Amino acid sequence: MNNNNLPLIVFDVNETLLDMSVLKNKINSLLGSSKGFRIWFGMLLHYSLVDNCTGAYHDFVSLAHATLSMTAKALKTDLDEKEKKAALATLKELPAYPDVPKGLQLLKENGFRLITLTNSPLATLTAQLQYAKLTGYFEQTLSIDNKKKYKPAAETYTWAARQSSVNVTGALLIAAHGWDIAGALQAGMQAAFIEREGQSLYPLAPTPQFTGKDLIEVSNSIIAHYK
């Protein structure tokens, strides 16, 4: 395998590498609704795009707190501030999916360079990767906090590739979110979609080059393609 021809692999983190089930259960319990997490997380992503469109910027943790309060109001639920902070602190203590270490190792052993690109602030990202014991797999751990432009803005993917001295067309995003895949493809990256439970591709966007039920399957497909 010629390493010079291999794309830079760019990883999303939340729900791609890290299992958010613990946080999901805490948010649902806090909001008194089995749909609470999904409503809140959708609102969190929605208002990150409001920041993009209006030229404002608030870090992802601040947005998480604000939109959790908004979600509680929408669901007519009173939130205790201490309970809210305790629930959101769980974001730093999420386990990796069981397939992730092996999938990352496969890519590393076959000469691929690996970085992260997440909407979470760098301090949160650092704590997450340390807790999940994934830090050593990545040569760079990038947060959009430095760019102050949330994914799926095209310029954010271009910026991330350049941080590793790669053109955006020489990078490949691996993610479990249809909106993230759509953004990377529109920016000129290749993409691979992990079919995590509850996730789906955006049918109006271009089709990613790779799909798989977990990171091991996706990694093997990428390796086979570049052999």
Side-chain angles (χ1 to χ4, degrees):
M1 189 179 291
N2 185 348
N3 288 6
N4 292 329
N5 295 327
L6 301 182
L8 172 73
I9 306 294
V10 183
F11 278 92
D12 175 52
V13 176
N14 295 317
E15 291 191 302
T16 297
L17 300 176
L18 303 182
D19 185 352
M20 298 182 77
S21 296
V22 175
L23 178 61
K24 183 183 298 184
N25 292 336
K26 288 196 173 185
I27 296 295
N28 285 346
S29 177
L30 193 64
L31 295 172
S33 170
S34 61
K35 298 179 180 179
F37 174 85
R38 188 53 60 189
I39 294 170
W40 164 68
F41 201 66
M43 192 177 288
L44 173 56
L45 295 173
H46 178 89
Y47 280 92
S48 70
L49 298 184
V50 169
D51 269 13
N52 277 7
C53 292
T54 60
Y57 180 74
H58 306 87
D59 70 63
F60 210 53
V61 174
S62 297
L63 285 176
H65 279 270
T67 52
L68 185 53
S69 296
M70 293 169 70
T71 306
K73 186 174 182 179
L75 294 173
K76 296 181 171 58
T77 301
D78 292 326
L79 275 188
D80 178 271
E81 280 299 308
K82 288 184 179 180
E83 289 181 344
K84 183 175 80 166
K85 289 180 180 179
L88 290 176
T90 308
L91 191 61
K92 295 182 179 180
E93 299 176 347
L94 302 173
Y97 284 104
D99 55 282
V100 165
K102 183 176 179 180
L104 293 174
Q105 190 61 35
L106 281 168
L107 292 169
K108 289 276 285 185
E109 287 174 350
N110 282 276
F112 290 88
R113 300 169 62 197
L114 313 183
I115 70 170
T116 68
L117 177 62
T118 179
N119 280 342
S120 296
L122 186 58
T124 300
L125 170 62
T126 300
Q128 287 180 315
L129 296 179
Q130 288 176 346
Y131 182 86
K133 297 180 173 59
L134 299 179
T135 306
Y137 292 104
F138 301 103
E139 67 175 58
Q140 279 202 92
T141 51
L142 299 180
S143 160
I144 66 89
D145 213 28
N146 290 327
K147 178 67 176 172
K148 292 182 168 47
K149 197 78 170 181
Y150 286 103
K151 296 187 294 178
E155 58 263 45
T156 299
Y157 301 97
T158 301
W159 166 81
R162 286 176 178 167
Q163 301 313 296
S164 294
S165 302
V166 171
N167 189 283
V168 69
T169 57
L172 186 157
L173 178 81
I174 297 180
H177 299 116
W179 56 266
D180 206 355
I181 294 291
L185 289 169
Q186 292 289 359
M189 281 187 179
Q190 296 182 70
F193 179 65
I194 300 179
E195 300 167 330
R196 299 291 187 203
E197 183 178 356
Q199 301 297 332
S200 61
L201 287 167
Y202 177 39
L204 300 182
T207 302
Q209 286 80 7
F210 306 95
T211 61
K213 69 179 186 302
D214 60 26
L215 182 55
I216 295 170
E217 187 173 310
V218 164
S219 295
N220 280 325
S221 294
I222 294 170
I223 292 163
H225 179 79
Y226 283 96
K227 275 185 176 179

